Amino acid sequence: VYAPEVYASSVQEKSFIMIKPDGIHRGLIADIIKRFEAKGYKLVAIKVMVPSKDLASKHYEEHAQRPFYPGLVTFLSSGPVVAMVWEGKDVIKYGRKMIGATNPLASTPGTIRGDYGIDVGRNIIHGSDSVESAQREIALWFGAGELAEYDLAMGKWVYE
Ligand code: GDP
Ligand code: MG
């Protein structure tokens, strides 16, 4: 029996997932979206954009002191990126599992980085690493009105 109140009460969280410029130029947009969609997660926001240097700097501000930071910001702001918000049970932690390790050569085959990447500075995709960073990143990349609220028809077949 479909019980929306049960579905709604399972821990639904949101993660900021971004296909980086290399992922777009590599033609991986559809494959990446397909993986999250097929898993059972719900897409609640998506846009293609060339981020400003300011936005890219803020996104990676935790790494401001690292030697790779300037190159990382230049790379990200070269664009385009596909910025997304995916929603579902444990999507932050499980999304990171689907993405794989930071270094693609240390990523398990079957993960996005494991299947498609080689160098750490060209690792295709970003995913939030905690509830706090997800909230910060979603607010940084999207306005409140840009997140769609809806019940996914397949929700009752994904959640018990
Ligand atoms: P992530 O959360 O797995 O994306 O990894 P981090 O938060 O540690 O780093 C953010 C991003 O910076 C990574 O996805 C890489 O693109 C880049 N990065 C991290 N470490 C290095 C490094 O040692 N060299 C270079 N060139 N880029 C790095
Ligand atoms: Mg990170």
Side-chain angles (χ1 to χ4, degrees):
V1 176
Y2 178 36
E5 63 285 358
V6 174
Y7 166 36
S9 72
S10 59
V11 188
Q12 296 290 315
E13 59 180 29
K14 295 182 178 71
S15 185
F16 177 69
I17 303 288
M18 173 172 56
I19 307 174
K20 303 195 219 179
D22 50 333
I24 282 118
H25 291 298
R26 298 270 312 276
L28 297 173
I29 296 171
D31 179 278
I32 288 167
I33 290 176
K34 186 184 179 70
R35 290 173 183 234
F36 281 87
E37 191 177 40
K39 175 69 180 169
Y41 290 133
K42 176 167 81 173
L43 182 63
V44 297
I46 182 167
K47 61 184 168 188
V48 184
M49 61 188 290
V50 177
S52 66
K53 206 140 193 173
D54 182 58
L55 179 54
S57 308
K58 283 189 178 134
H59 175 76
Y60 278 128
E61 68 187 6
E62 67 171 309
H63 299 302
Q65 305 310 318
R66 309 286 288 279
F68 58 81
Y69 181 70
L72 182 60
V73 168
T74 300
F75 167 65
L76 193 69
S77 59
S78 73
V81 303
V82 175
M84 299 177 279
V85 178
W86 286 88
E87 186 179 304
K89 193 188 222 172
D90 223 7
V91 64
I92 297 172
K93 193 168 64 173
Y94 201 85
R96 295 272 299 185
K97 266 193 197 174
M98 291 166 63
I99 287 170
T102 304
N103 179 353
L105 288 181
S107 295
T108 311
T111 64
I112 294 165
R113 288 168 174 169
D115 284 349
Y116 300 127
I118 293 179
D119 273 351
V120 68
R122 298 290 182 272
N123 62 5
I124 299 161
I125 183 167
H126 166 84
S128 304
D129 63 6
S130 66
V131 173
E132 296 69 36
S133 64
Q135 284 169 351
R136 185 189 78 86
E137 291 164 5
I138 291 167
L140 182 64
W141 289 85
F142 289 97
E146 288 185 279
L147 270 58
E149 265 182 60
Y150 63 98
D151 282 327
L152 195 58
M154 72 174 179
K156 62 178 173 177
W157 303 109
V158 171
Y159 298 99
E160 64 178 358

